[in-house]
Each structure stands twice: as structure tokens, then as C-alpha cells.
Amino acid sequence: MRNRMIAGNWKMNKTYTEGVELASGLADELKDGTGSVDVVVCPPAVDLKGVAEVIDQKKAPFALGAQNVYWEEHGAFTGETAPDMLTNIGATYCIIGHSERRGYFHETDEEINKKAKALMAHGIVPISCCGEPLEVREAGKHVEFVVDQIKKDTEGLEIADPSKYVIAYEPIWAIGTGKTATADDAQEVCGAIRKTLAEIFGQKTADGIRILYGGSAKPNNVAGFLEKDDVDGALVGGASLKADSFAAMVKAAM
Ligand code: PEP
């Protein structure tokens, strides 16, 4: 019922030239297609146009995503990017609420909610991140912490097509640290997220929303996460920076 998704978050890595090279290498690795797996790459903003051109020229089987957006339509917001600027260059997904933006740039759930609404109004699929810090996990409060984020981040959203809203559960202590959550840890929280979505939007909508796991996901561990009922794919940081490792994760999901 839900197509699996493997999404790569390049973060602040790859110049324009390097980004075009990586996208081109990935297109070669995936030239035989990705079956029913939806693949998304999210380069830095300045690389988006170059990667869009690679996708177009090579008929690459992956979609383009941004890493951030601002919710206003246009105007005096120096340094920000509006939703229609993303659609205009071919981006169809956008990561919001990543823990690095929540942490370093003090983004709040209210702002993440506004970004989701702005993206959806422009037909861009949000990949909305949530996840607990280590101290919350150690206190055993991770489920309630994440459920609270989900309630705030989805407040007032109208989800007509559940395939057009994606959640990524990324425990902060597992991001870029080499420490992965176990597949059971991921299932516990992803299951609670789906239950919360069912309470808010109804079971049918909840059953159609993809929930990804993120946090040191690699070619050698991704299959274990994907076996779990409520884990529909992965949001991948470090391992998305090499075409062969990211392609291996896509193939593991096929
Ligand atoms: C991420 O930042 O979204 C992420 C999951 O990073 P990594 O795979 O490097 O832990």
C-alpha cells in the first residue's frame, strides 16, 4: 500500500560541480530503475538547479528535494527561499524540521508547521523530521516527546493524498554518530507516530503516510529497519554522499 522511500540528505556538502557529479553517478548506478521504491535526493540549495538538469538529461529515476524553505510567498526575507522558487526549478520534495535546523537555527514546531502548509499549498511534499535527544531517550520519554512533535507539526494540515506527506523519525543521538537505533527502537516510535496520525487524520490517511527512519542508516543495516511494519524507508545523511552506497540502499529496499 505504501511505496518505500529512500531519501538522501546531502546537508552542507558538495559544491555545485561535485553535486552534479554525484547526481550523475547516482543516475548511472540506478539506470535500471528503482522498482516501486521512491528515491529522492536533497542537495544544498545552490546545487538544486544542476541536479535538476542531470535528472532531466539522464532521465534519472529519482526526484529532487530541497533541505529548507520559508513559508512566505516572496519579499524582504534575505537569504530565504520561497516554495515557488523550488517548484520553478523542479524540486518536488523538501525536508523540514531536521534536528540540525531545530538545534543550530532554533526552528520551532510552529515554524515547521507553517513550512509544511506552505509547501503543500505549492504541491511540494514535505519530509517532516522529528526525533528525541539522548537525555529524553535515557529518561524513557522518547515516545511522548515525538508524539508531541507530531501533533504540533501536523496541526491544521489537510492531507488529501497521504502519499504527499512524509515523516522521518530521526533520533538525534543516532544522527551522524555511527550509533544506530535498533530496528525495534525505530518500530516502537514509528508505530506510535502512525497511531497518532490515525487519531488526528483517521486510519486510512495514517496508513498511507510514509514514515522513514534516519540516523546512521547504511547499506549494511537498512534492510533490518525496512522489515518493520511501520518503517517505510530511510532518510540517509552520510551514506548518501557516495553514489554506490546510496544506490546500494535503494537496491536493498527494492
Ligand atoms: C540525517 O541527518 O538526516 C541523517 C540521517 O544523517 P546520518 O545518516 O549521517 O546519520
Side-chain angles (χ1 to χ4, degrees), residues 24-115:
S24 183
L26 186 61
D28 293 341
E29 292 275 349
L30 298 176
K31 65 179 182 327
D32 295 330
T34 63
S36 62
V37 180
D38 290 336
V39 180
V40 184
V41 296
C42 303
V46 294
D47 297 3
L48 284 168
K49 180 73 179 142
V51 174
E53 283 169 6
V54 171
I55 293 172
D56 194 41
Q57 282 157 15
K58 293 201 153 191
K59 309 248 173 299
F62 48 86
L64 184 64
Q67 295 177 16
N68 192 22
V69 69
Y70 196 58
W71 56 82
E72 294 288 349
E73 291 292 314
H74 55 81
F77 303 101
T78 302
E80 296 295 330
T81 307
D84 75 344
M85 295 173 182
L86 298 181
T87 47
N88 185 249
I89 54 166
T92 49
Y93 290 83
C94 182
I95 297 170
I96 53 173
H98 192 281
S99 60
E100 287 150 18
R101 294 215 58 86
R102 290 177 188 259
Y104 299 134
F105 305 103
H106 313 294
E107 270 186 23
T108 64
D109 288 304
E110 289 69 26
E111 290 170 332
I112 292 156
N113 177 260
K114 283 191 197 173
K115 290 182 179 192

Coordinates of all heavy atoms in Angstrom, one line a residue, residues 24-115:
S24 N 25.0 12.6 -11.2 CA 25.3 11.9 -12.5 C 25.7 10.4 -12.2 O 25.2 9.5 -12.8 CB 26.3 12.6 -13.2 OG 26.6 12.1 -14.4
G25 N 26.6 10.3 -11.2 CA 27.0 8.9 -10.8 C 25.8 8.1 -10.2 O 25.7 6.9 -10.5
L26 N 24.9 8.7 -9.5 CA 23.8 8.0 -9.0 C 22.8 7.6 -10.1 O 22.3 6.5 -10.1 CB 23.0 8.9 -8.0 CG 21.9 8.3 -7.2 CD1 22.4 7.1 -6.4 CD2 21.2 9.3 -6.3
A27 N 22.7 8.5 -11.1 CA 21.8 8.2 -12.2 C 22.4 6.9 -12.9 O 21.6 6.0 -13.4 CB 21.7 9.3 -13.2
D28 N 23.7 6.8 -13.0 CA 24.3 5.7 -13.7 C 24.1 4.4 -12.9 O 23.7 3.3 -13.4 CB 25.9 5.9 -13.9 CG 26.2 7.0 -14.9 OD1 25.3 7.3 -15.7 OD2 27.3 7.5 -14.8
E29 N 24.3 4.5 -11.5 CA 24.1 3.4 -10.6 C 22.7 2.8 -10.7 O 22.4 1.7 -10.6 CB 24.4 3.8 -9.2 CG 25.8 4.1 -8.9 CD 26.7 2.9 -8.6 OE1 26.1 1.8 -8.4 OE2 27.9 3.0 -8.5
L30 N 21.7 3.8 -10.9 CA 20.3 3.4 -10.9 C 19.7 3.3 -12.3 O 18.5 3.4 -12.4 CB 19.5 4.4 -10.0 CG 19.9 4.4 -8.5 CD1 19.2 5.5 -7.7 CD2 19.8 3.1 -7.8
K31 N 20.5 3.1 -13.3 CA 20.0 3.2 -14.6 C 18.9 2.2 -15.0 O 18.1 2.4 -15.9 CB 21.1 3.2 -15.7 CG 21.9 1.9 -15.7 CD 23.0 2.0 -16.8 CE 23.8 0.7 -16.9 NZ 24.0 -0.1 -15.7
D32 N 18.9 1.1 -14.2 CA 17.9 0.0 -14.5 C 16.6 0.3 -13.7 O 15.7 -0.5 -13.7 CB 18.5 -1.3 -14.1 CG 19.6 -1.7 -15.0 OD1 19.6 -1.2 -16.2 OD2 20.5 -2.4 -14.6
G33 N 16.5 1.4 -13.0 CA 15.3 1.8 -12.4 C 15.3 1.4 -10.9 O 16.2 0.8 -10.4
T34 N 14.2 1.8 -10.2 CA 14.2 1.6 -8.7 C 12.9 0.8 -8.3 O 12.5 0.8 -7.2 CB 14.3 2.9 -8.0 OG1 13.1 3.7 -8.3 CG2 15.5 3.7 -8.3
G35 N 12.3 0.1 -9.3 CA 11.1 -0.6 -9.0 C 10.0 0.3 -8.4 O 9.8 1.4 -8.9
S36 N 9.5 -0.2 -7.3 CA 8.4 0.7 -6.7 C 9.0 1.6 -5.6 O 8.2 2.2 -4.8 CB 7.3 -0.3 -6.1 OG 7.9 -1.0 -5.1
V37 N 10.3 1.6 -5.5 CA 10.9 2.5 -4.4 C 11.0 3.9 -4.9 O 11.5 4.2 -6.0 CB 12.3 2.0 -4.0 CG1 12.9 2.9 -3.0 CG2 12.2 0.5 -3.6
D38 N 10.5 4.9 -4.2 CA 10.6 6.3 -4.5 C 11.9 6.8 -3.9 O 12.2 6.6 -2.7 CB 9.5 7.1 -3.9 CG 8.1 6.8 -4.5 OD1 8.1 6.4 -5.7 OD2 7.1 7.0 -3.9
V39 N 12.7 7.4 -4.8 CA 14.1 7.8 -4.4 C 14.1 9.4 -4.5 O 13.6 9.9 -5.5 CB 15.2 7.2 -5.3 CG1 16.5 7.7 -4.9 CG2 15.1 5.7 -5.2
V40 N 14.7 10.0 -3.5 CA 14.7 11.5 -3.5 C 16.2 11.9 -3.1 O 16.7 11.3 -2.2 CB 13.8 12.1 -2.5 CG1 13.8 13.6 -2.5 CG2 12.4 11.5 -2.6
V41 N 16.7 12.9 -3.8 CA 18.0 13.5 -3.3 C 17.8 14.9 -3.0 O 17.1 15.7 -3.7 CB 19.1 13.3 -4.4 CG1 19.5 11.9 -4.6 CG2 18.8 14.0 -5.7
C42 N 18.4 15.3 -1.8 CA 18.2 16.7 -1.3 C 19.5 17.4 -1.2 O 20.2 17.3 -0.1 CB 17.5 16.6 0.0 SG 15.9 15.8 0.0
P43 N 20.0 18.0 -2.3 CA 21.3 18.7 -2.3 C 21.1 20.1 -1.6 O 20.0 20.6 -1.4 CB 21.6 18.9 -3.8 CG 20.4 18.3 -4.5 CD 19.3 18.1 -3.6
P44 N 22.3 20.7 -1.4 CA 22.2 22.1 -0.9 C 21.5 23.0 -2.0 O 21.5 22.7 -3.2 CB 23.7 22.5 -0.8 CG 24.5 21.3 -0.7 CD 23.7 20.2 -1.5
A45 N 20.9 24.1 -1.5 CA 20.1 25.0 -2.4 C 20.8 25.4 -3.7 O 20.2 25.3 -4.8 CB 19.7 26.2 -1.7
V46 N 22.1 25.7 -3.6 CA 22.8 26.2 -4.8 C 23.1 25.0 -5.8 O 23.4 25.3 -7.0 CB 24.2 26.9 -4.5 CG1 23.9 28.2 -3.7 CG2 25.1 26.0 -3.8
D47 N 22.9 23.8 -5.4 CA 23.1 22.7 -6.3 C 21.8 22.2 -7.0 O 21.9 21.4 -7.9 CB 23.7 21.4 -5.5 CG 25.0 21.7 -4.9 OD1 25.6 22.8 -5.0 OD2 25.6 20.7 -4.3
L48 N 20.7 22.7 -6.5 CA 19.4 22.2 -6.9 C 19.3 22.2 -8.5 O 18.9 21.2 -9.1 CB 18.2 22.9 -6.3 CG 18.0 22.6 -4.8 CD1 17.0 23.6 -4.2 CD2 17.4 21.2 -4.7
K49 N 19.6 23.4 -9.0 CA 19.4 23.5 -10.5 C 20.2 22.5 -11.3 O 19.8 21.9 -12.2 CB 19.7 25.0 -10.9 CG 19.5 25.3 -12.3 CD 18.0 25.3 -12.7 CE 17.8 25.7 -14.2 NZ 16.7 24.9 -14.8
G50 N 21.5 22.4 -10.9 CA 22.4 21.5 -11.5 C 21.9 20.0 -11.5 O 22.0 19.3 -12.4
V51 N 21.4 19.6 -10.3 CA 20.9 18.3 -10.1 C 19.6 18.1 -10.9 O 19.4 17.0 -11.5 CB 20.7 17.9 -8.6 CG1 20.1 16.6 -8.4 CG2 22.1 18.0 -7.9
A52 N 18.8 19.1 -11.0 CA 17.6 19.0 -11.8 C 17.9 18.8 -13.2 O 17.3 18.0 -13.9 CB 16.8 20.3 -11.7
E53 N 19.0 19.4 -13.7 CA 19.4 19.2 -15.1 C 19.9 17.8 -15.3 O 19.6 17.2 -16.4 CB 20.5 20.3 -15.5 CG 19.8 21.6 -15.7 CD 20.8 22.8 -15.8 OE1 22.0 22.6 -15.8 OE2 20.3 24.0 -15.9
V54 N 20.6 17.3 -14.4 CA 21.1 15.9 -14.5 C 19.9 14.9 -14.6 O 19.9 14.0 -15.4 CB 22.0 15.5 -13.3 CG1 22.3 14.0 -13.4 CG2 23.3 16.3 -13.3
I55 N 19.0 15.1 -13.7 CA 17.8 14.3 -13.7 C 17.1 14.3 -15.0 O 16.7 13.3 -15.6 CB 16.8 14.7 -12.5 CG1 17.4 14.4 -11.2 CG2 15.5 14.0 -12.7 CD1 16.6 15.0 -10.0
D56 N 17.0 15.5 -15.5 CA 16.3 15.7 -16.8 C 17.1 15.1 -18.0 O 16.5 14.3 -18.8 CB 16.2 17.2 -17.0 CG 15.2 17.6 -18.1 OD1 14.2 16.9 -18.2 OD2 15.5 18.5 -18.9
Q57 N 18.4 15.4 -18.0 CA 19.2 14.9 -19.2 C 19.3 13.4 -19.2 O 19.3 12.7 -20.2 CB 20.5 15.5 -19.1 CG 20.5 17.0 -19.7 CD 21.7 17.8 -19.1 OE1 22.7 17.2 -18.6 NE2 21.6 19.1 -19.3
K58 N 19.5 12.8 -17.9 CA 19.8 11.4 -17.8 C 18.5 10.6 -17.6 O 18.5 9.3 -17.4 CB 20.8 11.1 -16.7 CG 22.2 11.6 -17.0 CD 23.2 10.9 -16.2 CE 24.6 10.9 -16.9 NZ 25.5 10.0 -16.3
K59 N 17.3 11.2 -17.5 CA 16.1 10.6 -17.2 C 16.3 9.7 -15.9 O 15.9 8.5 -15.9 CB 15.6 9.7 -18.4 CG 15.5 10.4 -19.7 CD 14.1 10.6 -20.2 CE 13.9 11.4 -21.4 NZ 14.4 12.8 -21.3
A60 N 16.9 10.3 -14.9 CA 17.3 9.6 -13.7 C 16.0 9.3 -12.9 O 15.1 10.1 -12.8 CB 18.2 10.5 -12.9
P61 N 16.0 8.1 -12.3 CA 14.8 7.6 -11.6 C 14.8 8.1 -10.1 O 14.5 7.4 -9.2 CB 14.9 6.1 -11.6 CG 16.4 5.8 -11.6 CD 17.0 7.0 -12.3
F62 N 15.1 9.4 -10.0 CA 14.9 10.0 -8.6 C 14.4 11.4 -8.7 O 14.5 12.0 -9.7 CB 16.2 9.9 -7.8 CG 17.5 10.4 -8.5 CD1 17.9 11.7 -8.5 CD2 18.3 9.4 -9.1 CE1 19.0 12.1 -9.1 CE2 19.5 9.9 -9.7 CZ 19.9 11.2 -9.7
A63 N 13.8 11.8 -7.6 CA 13.2 13.1 -7.5 C 14.1 14.1 -6.8 O 15.0 13.7 -6.1 CB 11.8 13.0 -6.8
L64 N 13.8 15.4 -6.9 CA 14.7 16.4 -6.4 C 14.0 17.0 -5.1 O 12.8 17.3 -5.2 CB 14.9 17.5 -7.4 CG 15.8 18.7 -7.0 CD1 17.2 18.2 -6.8 CD2 15.7 19.7 -8.1
G65 N 14.7 17.1 -4.0 CA 14.2 17.7 -2.8 C 15.1 18.8 -2.3 O 16.3 18.8 -2.5
A66 N 14.5 19.8 -1.7 CA 15.3 20.9 -1.0 C 15.5 20.5 0.4 O 14.9 19.5 0.9 CB 14.6 22.2 -1.2
Q67 N 16.4 21.2 1.1 CA 16.6 21.0 2.5 C 15.9 22.0 3.5 O 16.0 21.8 4.7 CB 18.1 21.0 2.8 CG 18.9 20.0 2.1 CD 20.4 20.1 2.4 OE1 20.9 20.8 3.3 NE2 21.2 19.4 1.6
N68 N 15.3 23.0 2.9 CA 14.7 24.0 3.7 C 13.8 24.9 2.8 O 14.0 24.9 1.6 CB 15.8 24.9 4.4 CG 15.2 25.8 5.5 OD1 14.1 25.5 6.0 ND2 15.9 26.8 5.8
V69 N 12.9 25.6 3.4 CA 12.0 26.6 2.7 C 11.6 27.6 3.7 O 11.6 27.4 4.9 CB 10.8 25.8 2.1 CG1 9.9 25.3 3.2 CG2 10.1 26.6 1.0
Y70 N 11.1 28.8 3.2 CA 10.5 29.7 4.0 C 9.0 29.8 3.7 O 8.6 29.4 2.5 CB 11.1 31.1 3.8 CG 10.7 32.1 4.9 CD1 11.0 31.8 6.3 CD2 10.1 33.3 4.7 CE1 10.7 32.7 7.3 CE2 9.7 34.2 5.7 CZ 10.0 33.8 7.0 OH 9.7 34.7 8.0
W71 N 8.1 30.1 4.6 CA 6.7 30.0 4.3 C 6.1 31.1 3.6 O 5.0 31.0 3.1 CB 5.9 29.7 5.6 CG 6.2 30.7 6.7 CD1 5.5 31.9 6.8 CD2 7.1 30.7 7.8 NE1 6.0 32.6 7.9 CE2 7.0 31.9 8.5 CE3 8.0 29.7 8.2 CZ2 7.7 32.1 9.6 CZ3 8.8 30.0 9.3 CH2 8.6 31.2 10.0
E72 N 6.8 32.3 3.5 CA 6.2 33.4 2.8 C 6.3 33.2 1.3 O 7.2 32.5 0.8 CB 6.8 34.7 3.2 CG 6.6 35.1 4.7 CD 5.2 35.6 5.0 OE1 4.4 35.8 4.0 OE2 4.8 35.7 6.2
E73 N 5.5 34.0 0.6 CA 5.5 33.8 -0.9 C 6.7 34.5 -1.6 O 7.2 34.0 -2.5 CB 4.2 34.4 -1.5 CG 2.9 33.6 -1.1 CD 2.9 32.2 -1.8 OE1 3.2 32.1 -3.0 OE2 2.6 31.2 -1.1
H74 N 7.0 35.7 -1.1 CA 8.1 36.5 -1.6 C 8.3 37.7 -0.7 O 7.5 37.9 0.2 CB 7.9 36.9 -3.1 CG 6.7 37.7 -3.3 ND1 6.6 39.0 -3.0 CD2 5.4 37.3 -3.7 CE1 5.3 39.4 -3.2 NE2 4.6 38.4 -3.6
G75 N 9.4 38.4 -1.0 CA 9.5 39.7 -0.2 C 10.9 39.8 0.5 O 11.8 39.2 0.1
A76 N 10.9 40.7 1.5 CA 12.1 41.1 2.1 C 12.5 40.1 3.2 O 12.3 40.3 4.4 CB 12.0 42.5 2.7
F77 N 13.0 38.9 2.8 CA 13.4 37.8 3.7 C 14.8 37.4 3.3 O 14.9 36.2 2.7 CB 12.3 36.7 3.7 CG 11.0 37.2 4.1 CD1 10.0 37.4 3.1 CD2 10.6 37.5 5.4 CE1 8.8 37.9 3.5 CE2 9.4 37.9 5.8 CZ 8.4 38.1 4.8
T78 N 15.8 38.2 3.5 CA 17.1 38.0 2.9 C 17.6 36.6 3.3 O 17.6 36.1 4.5 CB 18.1 39.0 3.5 OG1 17.6 40.3 3.1 CG2 19.5 38.8 3.0
G79 N 18.0 35.9 2.3 CA 18.7 34.6 2.5 C 17.7 33.4 2.4 O 18.1 32.2 2.5
E80 N 16.4 33.7 2.4 CA 15.4 32.6 2.4 C 15.0 32.2 1.0 O 15.2 32.9 0.0 CB 14.2 33.0 3.2 CG 14.5 33.3 4.7 CD 14.9 32.1 5.4 OE1 14.5 30.9 5.0 OE2 15.7 32.2 6.4
T81 N 14.3 31.1 0.9 CA 13.8 30.5 -0.4 C 12.4 30.2 -0.3 O 11.9 29.6 0.6 CB 14.6 29.2 -0.7 OG1 16.0 29.4 -0.6 CG2 14.2 28.7 -2.1
A82 N 11.6 30.8 -1.3 CA 10.1 30.6 -1.3 C 9.7 29.3 -2.0 O 10.5 28.8 -2.8 CB 9.5 31.8 -2.0
P83 N 8.6 28.8 -1.6 CA 8.1 27.5 -2.2 C 8.1 27.5 -3.8 O 8.5 26.6 -4.4 CB 6.7 27.3 -1.7 CG 6.7 28.1 -0.4 CD 7.6 29.2 -0.6
D84 N 7.6 28.7 -4.3 CA 7.5 28.6 -5.8 C 8.9 28.7 -6.5 O 9.0 28.4 -7.6 CB 6.5 29.6 -6.4 CG 7.0 31.1 -6.3 OD1 8.0 31.3 -5.6 OD2 6.4 31.9 -7.0
M85 N 9.9 29.2 -5.7 CA 11.3 29.1 -6.3 C 11.7 27.7 -6.4 O 12.5 27.3 -7.3 CB 12.2 29.9 -5.4 CG 11.9 31.4 -5.3 SD 13.0 32.2 -4.1 CE 12.3 33.8 -4.2
L86 N 11.2 26.8 -5.5 CA 11.6 25.4 -5.5 C 10.9 24.7 -6.6 O 11.5 24.0 -7.4 CB 11.3 24.7 -4.2 CG 12.1 25.3 -2.9 CD1 11.7 24.5 -1.7 CD2 13.6 25.2 -3.2
T87 N 9.6 25.0 -6.7 CA 8.8 24.3 -7.8 C 9.3 24.7 -9.2 O 9.4 23.9 -10.1 CB 7.3 24.6 -7.8 OG1 7.1 26.0 -7.6 CG2 6.6 23.8 -6.6
N88 N 9.7 26.0 -9.3 CA 10.2 26.5 -10.6 C 11.4 25.8 -11.1 O 11.6 25.7 -12.3 CB 10.4 28.0 -10.4 CG 10.8 28.7 -11.7 OD1 11.9 29.1 -11.9 ND2 9.8 28.7 -12.6
I89 N 12.3 25.3 -10.2 CA 13.5 24.6 -10.7 C 13.3 23.0 -10.6 O 14.2 22.3 -10.8 CB 14.8 25.0 -10.0 CG1 14.6 24.9 -8.5 CG2 15.2 26.4 -10.4 CD1 16.0 25.0 -7.8
G90 N 12.1 22.6 -10.3 CA 11.8 21.2 -10.4 C 11.9 20.4 -9.1 O 11.9 19.2 -9.1
A91 N 12.0 21.1 -7.9 CA 12.0 20.3 -6.7 C 10.6 19.9 -6.3 O 9.7 20.7 -6.4 CB 12.6 21.2 -5.6
T92 N 10.4 18.7 -5.9 CA 9.1 18.2 -5.6 C 9.0 17.7 -4.1 O 7.9 17.4 -3.7 CB 8.7 17.1 -6.5 OG1 9.7 16.1 -6.6 CG2 8.4 17.5 -8.0
Y93 N 10.1 17.7 -3.4 CA 10.1 17.4 -2.0 C 10.9 18.5 -1.3 O 11.7 19.2 -1.9 CB 10.8 16.0 -1.8 CG 10.1 14.8 -2.3 CD1 10.1 14.5 -3.6 CD2 9.3 14.1 -1.4 CE1 9.4 13.4 -4.1 CE2 8.6 13.0 -1.9 CZ 8.6 12.6 -3.2 OH 7.9 11.6 -3.7
C94 N 10.7 18.5 0.0 CA 11.5 19.4 0.9 C 11.6 18.9 2.3 O 10.6 18.6 2.9 CB 11.0 20.8 0.8 SG 11.9 22.0 1.8
I95 N 12.8 18.8 2.8 CA 13.0 18.4 4.2 C 12.6 19.6 5.1 O 13.0 20.7 4.8 CB 14.5 18.0 4.5 CG1 14.9 16.7 3.6 CG2 14.7 17.7 5.9 CD1 16.4 16.4 3.7
I96 N 11.9 19.3 6.1 CA 11.6 20.4 7.1 C 11.8 19.8 8.5 O 11.7 18.6 8.7 CB 10.2 21.0 7.0 CG1 9.1 19.9 7.0 CG2 10.1 21.9 5.7 CD1 7.7 20.5 7.1
G97 N 12.2 20.7 9.5 CA 12.3 20.2 10.8 C 13.4 19.3 11.2 O 13.4 18.6 12.2
H98 N 14.5 19.3 10.3 CA 15.6 18.5 10.6 C 16.2 18.9 12.0 O 16.2 20.1 12.3 CB 16.7 18.6 9.5 CG 17.7 17.5 9.7 ND1 18.8 17.7 10.5 CD2 17.9 16.4 9.0 CE1 19.5 16.6 10.4 NE2 19.0 15.8 9.5
S99 N 16.7 18.0 12.8 CA 17.2 18.3 14.1 C 18.3 19.3 14.1 O 18.5 20.1 15.0 CB 17.6 17.1 14.8 OG 18.7 16.4 14.1
E100 N 19.1 19.4 12.9 CA 20.2 20.4 12.9 C 19.6 21.8 12.7 O 20.1 22.7 13.2 CB 21.1 20.0 11.7 CG 22.0 18.8 12.1 CD 22.4 17.9 10.9 OE1 22.3 18.4 9.7 OE2 22.7 16.8 11.1
R101 N 18.5 21.9 12.0 CA 17.8 23.2 11.9 C 17.1 23.5 13.2 O 17.1 24.7 13.6 CB 16.8 23.2 10.7 CG 17.5 23.1 9.4 CD 16.9 23.9 8.3 NE 16.8 25.3 8.6 CZ 17.8 26.2 8.4 NH1 19.0 25.8 7.8 NH2 17.7 27.4 8.7
R102 N 16.5 22.5 13.9 CA 15.9 22.8 15.2 C 17.0 23.3 16.2 O 16.7 24.2 16.9 CB 15.2 21.6 15.7 CG 13.9 21.2 14.9 CD 13.4 19.9 15.5 NE 12.3 19.2 14.8 CZ 11.0 19.3 15.1 NH1 10.6 20.0 16.2 NH2 10.1 18.7 14.4
G103 N 18.1 22.6 16.1 CA 19.1 22.8 17.1 C 19.9 24.1 16.8 O 19.9 25.0 17.6
Y104 N 20.6 24.1 15.7 CA 21.5 25.2 15.4 C 20.8 26.5 15.0 O 21.3 27.6 15.2 CB 22.4 24.9 14.2 CG 23.4 23.7 14.4 CD1 23.5 22.7 13.5 CD2 24.1 23.6 15.6 CE1 24.3 21.6 13.7 CE2 24.9 22.5 15.8 CZ 25.0 21.5 14.9 OH 25.8 20.5 15.1
F105 N 19.6 26.4 14.4 CA 18.9 27.6 13.9 C 17.6 27.8 14.6 O 16.8 28.7 14.2 CB 18.7 27.4 12.4 CG 20.0 27.2 11.7 CD1 20.3 25.9 11.2 CD2 20.9 28.2 11.5 CE1 21.5 25.7 10.6 CE2 22.1 28.0 10.9 CZ 22.4 26.7 10.4
H106 N 17.4 27.1 15.8 CA 16.3 27.4 16.7 C 14.9 27.3 16.0 O 14.0 28.1 16.4 CB 16.5 28.7 17.4 CG 17.9 28.9 17.9 ND1 18.4 28.1 18.9 CD2 18.9 29.7 17.5 CE1 19.7 28.4 19.1 NE2 20.0 29.3 18.3
E107 N 14.7 26.4 15.1 CA 13.4 26.3 14.4 C 12.4 25.6 15.4 O 12.8 24.7 16.1 CB 13.5 25.4 13.2 CG 13.8 26.2 12.0 CD 13.7 25.4 10.7 OE1 13.1 24.3 10.7 OE2 14.4 25.8 9.7
T108 N 11.2 26.2 15.4 CA 10.2 25.7 16.4 C 9.2 24.8 15.6 O 9.1 24.9 14.4 CB 9.5 26.8 17.0 OG1 8.8 27.5 16.0 CG2 10.4 27.8 17.7
D109 N 8.4 24.0 16.4 CA 7.4 23.2 15.7 C 6.4 24.1 15.0 O 5.8 23.7 14.0 CB 6.7 22.4 16.8 CG 7.5 21.3 17.3 OD1 8.0 20.5 16.5 OD2 7.8 21.2 18.5
E110 N 6.1 25.3 15.6 CA 5.1 26.2 14.9 C 5.7 26.6 13.5 O 4.9 26.7 12.6 CB 4.9 27.5 15.8 CG 4.1 27.2 17.1 CD 4.9 26.4 18.1 OE1 6.1 26.4 18.1 OE2 4.2 25.7 18.9
E111 N 7.0 26.9 13.4 CA 7.6 27.3 12.1 C 7.5 26.1 11.2 O 7.3 26.2 10.0 CB 9.0 27.8 12.3 CG 9.0 29.1 13.1 CD 10.4 29.6 13.5 OE1 11.3 28.7 13.7 OE2 10.7 30.8 13.6
I112 N 7.8 24.9 11.7 CA 7.8 23.7 10.9 C 6.4 23.5 10.3 O 6.3 23.1 9.1 CB 8.4 22.5 11.7 CG1 9.9 22.8 12.0 CG2 8.1 21.2 11.0 CD1 10.4 22.0 13.2
N113 N 5.4 23.7 11.1 CA 4.0 23.6 10.7 C 3.7 24.6 9.6 O 3.1 24.2 8.6 CB 3.1 23.8 11.9 CG 1.7 23.7 11.6 OD1 1.0 24.8 11.5 ND2 1.1 22.6 11.5
K114 N 4.2 25.8 9.7 CA 3.9 26.8 8.7 C 4.6 26.4 7.4 O 4.1 26.6 6.3 CB 4.5 28.2 9.1 CG 3.6 28.9 10.1 CD 4.2 30.3 10.2 CE 3.7 31.0 11.5 NZ 4.4 32.3 11.6
K115 N 5.8 25.9 7.5 CA 6.6 25.4 6.3 C 5.8 24.3 5.6 O 5.7 24.3 4.4 CB 8.0 25.0 6.7 CG 8.9 26.1 7.1 CD 10.3 25.7 7.5 CE 11.1 26.9 7.9 NZ 12.5 26.7 7.9

